[in-house]
Amino acid sequence: MAAVTTTLQFATGILILPQRETALVAKQAATLDADLQRPFSSGIGTGWNEIEYTAQNQDFHTRGRRQEEQVDVLRRLWTDELVTYHGRWHTIPDAGLNPLPAQRPIPVWFGGHADAVLERVARMGDGWLPGFRTAPAATDHLARLDVYLAQNGRTRADIGIEARLHWSDGSPDQLVDTLNDWQAVGATHISLNTMGAGFHTPAEHMEAIKQFTDKALT
């Protein structure tokens, strides 16, 4: 995709970071960032399924704290040629990535709606990935996010917000109205989900995206 477009930005979906080895994620993301040569961000979450953590011999109840340390480690590995780190879950003895990413560090966006996630977005996030289908549905969470941002000397203008629109929610005109509502509350990015809409071929998905884009850009 990067080879045939100069306008799209790229991001991971909500990667459940505490279920993954931090240094490996850092290397994979750095390689992508170096190869894409355009804006790339890492979307992460903590997950909700305790069984997934049990199956990986990980503690479900420390996942939020581990994720915070992971983000610290990721940013150091993405920024410094050599890193020495001694944390609760990570020990790095003077090591680093080669090559480093083009962005130093790669932006980290948090997904989720819990208060702990909103506070984390405000304190250490580059952006928020809400799962709400409309901006009005996110009103209460946006208000709480504003409080946490103010506590950290920030505003919505200091972070990105990515709205996720769903083709099955209405016509292209209705989706544009939904997009306008999101932009009014500070959304900076959008994605369009065309799954679950009865399409059977890649061409059908692409046509839906084209129809929406034609409407959104007029």
Side-chain angles (χ1 to χ4, degrees):
M1 291 176 69
V4 297
T5 177
T6 59
T7 57
L8 289 181
Q9 297 186 21
F10 292 84
T12 63
I14 300 179
L15 184 75
I16 308 304
L17 187 59
Q19 294 182 5
R20 290 164 169 82
E21 293 291 340
T22 311
L24 178 59
V25 171
K27 177 63 175 179
Q28 291 170 331
T31 301
L32 272 174
D33 190 67
D35 287 345
L36 289 172
Q37 297 183 356
R38 73 205 41 225
F40 167 72
S41 59
S42 180
I44 64 170
T46 53
W48 59 271
N49 193 337
E50 186 169 356
I51 293 174
E52 293 177 349
Y53 281 84
T54 301
Q56 298 182 62
N57 196 32
Q58 295 285 351
D59 186 348
F60 177 77
H61 302 287
T62 63
R63 67 195 190 285
R65 282 169 285 169
R66 282 192 289 119
Q67 184 193 65
E68 290 198 13
E69 184 172 299
Q70 286 181 291
V71 171
D72 187 27
V73 172
L74 287 174
R75 284 175 168 157
R76 296 193 189 196
L77 287 171
W78 288 334
T79 303
D80 300 331
E81 290 186 359
L82 292 173
V83 174
T84 296
Y85 192 96
H86 299 283
R88 179 175 175 182
W89 291 282
H90 299 80
T91 299
I92 301 175
D94 195 32
L97 303 179
N98 186 18
L100 286 168
Q103 299 179 99
R104 301 180 188 177
I106 296 168
V108 175
W109 292 45
F110 291 88
H113 304 131
D115 269 1
V117 174
L118 297 176
E119 191 277 333
R120 207 169 284 133
V121 171
R123 177 166 45 86
M124 60 189 304
D126 296 298
W128 181 40
L129 296 156
F132 296 102
R133 297 177 94 95
T134 66
T139 298
D140 291 344
H141 286 73
L142 286 165
R144 292 204 296 274
L145 177 60
D146 285 340
V147 172
Y148 291 130
L149 285 166
Q151 290 173 354
N152 288 275
R154 306 172 79 192
T155 69
R156 286 189 209 176
D158 296 312
I159 63 169
I161 297 176
E162 180 179 312
R164 190 179 193 199
L165 308 185
H166 298 258
W167 180 261
S168 58
D169 282 352
S171 68
D173 286 326
Q174 291 171 315
L175 292 177
V176 170
D177 289 339
T178 302
L179 170 61
N180 291 337
D181 289 341
W182 275 112
Q183 288 180 312
V185 300
T188 56
H189 296 68
I190 64 162
S191 60
L192 177 65
N193 176 22
T194 58
M195 295 185 291
F199 299 141
H200 301 288
T201 67
E204 290 176 304
H205 289 275
M206 293 299 294
E207 177 59 27
I209 294 170
K210 182 178 184 303
Q211 288 182 37
F212 169 74
T213 303
D214 289 344
K215 285 286 185 181
L217 296 180
T218 56

